[in-house]
Amino acid sequence: ECAPQVEAAGAGSRVQGALQYLQQWANRHDGDWKFNKAKQGALLRAWPDGSKIPGSVFSSQLLPYMQSLTGGCLERTLVQARQIAEAAQDEDEGDGDDEEKAERSALRKVRLGRALKVISALLTD
């Protein structure tokens, strides 16, 4: 089951714990992994943000983890990814100087790229 899509104080340390959980999942054949709803929820809230989930971890561990999702959690994650992709495509750079616009554009591209990868991974049989 997925945790609700709410960000709270202390989220950084939760994301760190979730990354350790993900590493354990990736090495689960060693017998050191146990499902944890809170840590899964932290991963599923943080995945669009490249500053929270490094690109290498996103591709090599998180996408395969997401492919193991089932039922309502899978559906909610797919809906979340579609919403993020739509929002990123519709978003403009807004006001600010060129540097701020470039930074917002880069962040939007990361969110869009990740959302499309999640959609692709979850729809692949």
Side-chain angles (χ1 to χ4, degrees), residues 62-75:
L62 188 56
L63 284 176
Y65 179 84
M66 289 175 142
Q67 289 176 313
S68 75
L69 299 175
T70 60
C73 191
L74 171 69
E75 290 303 315

Side-chain angles (χ1 to χ4, degrees), residues 67-90:
Q67 289 176 313
S68 75
L69 299 175
T70 60
C73 191
L74 171 69
E75 290 303 315
R76 284 187 294 279
T77 302
L78 193 52
V79 166
Q80 176 194 23
R82 286 180 174 145
Q83 289 172 339
I84 289 168
E86 287 174 21
Q89 289 172 333
D90 294 341

Side-chain angles (χ1 to χ4, degrees), residues 11 17 22 24-25 32 35-36 38 48 51 56 64 66 73 76 86 91 94 100 105 107 115 119:
L22 186 60
Q24 291 171 343
W25 179 84
D32 193 26
F35 176 73
N36 184 304
S51 69
S56 60
M66 289 175 142
C73 191
R76 284 187 294 279
E86 287 174 21
E91 190 177 302
E100 290 170 339
S105 178
L107 292 173
I119 292 167

Side-chain angles (χ1 to χ4, degrees), residues 5 8 10 17 20 40 54 58 83 90 92 100 102 112:
Q5 300 294 319
Q20 292 172 348
Q40 175 177 283
F58 177 81
Q83 289 172 339
D90 294 341
D92 69 19
E100 290 170 339
L112 176 59

Side-chain angles (χ1 to χ4, degrees), residues 15-76:
V15 171
Q16 284 306 113
L19 288 172
Q20 292 172 348
Y21 168 81
L22 186 60
Q23 179 66 41
Q24 291 171 343
W25 179 84
N27 296 314
R28 64 194 175 281
H29 56 276
D30 295 338
D32 193 26
W33 179 80
K34 183 178 177 186
F35 176 73
N36 184 304
K37 182 177 180 177
K39 290 181 181 177
Q40 175 177 283
L43 287 171
L44 296 179
R45 283 187 298 277
W47 69 261
D49 188 340
S51 69
K52 292 181 180 177
I53 308 284
S56 60
V57 172
F58 177 81
S59 297
S60 68
Q61 295 176 3
L62 188 56
L63 284 176
Y65 179 84
M66 289 175 142
Q67 289 176 313
S68 75
L69 299 175
T70 60
C73 191
L74 171 69
E75 290 303 315
R76 284 187 294 279

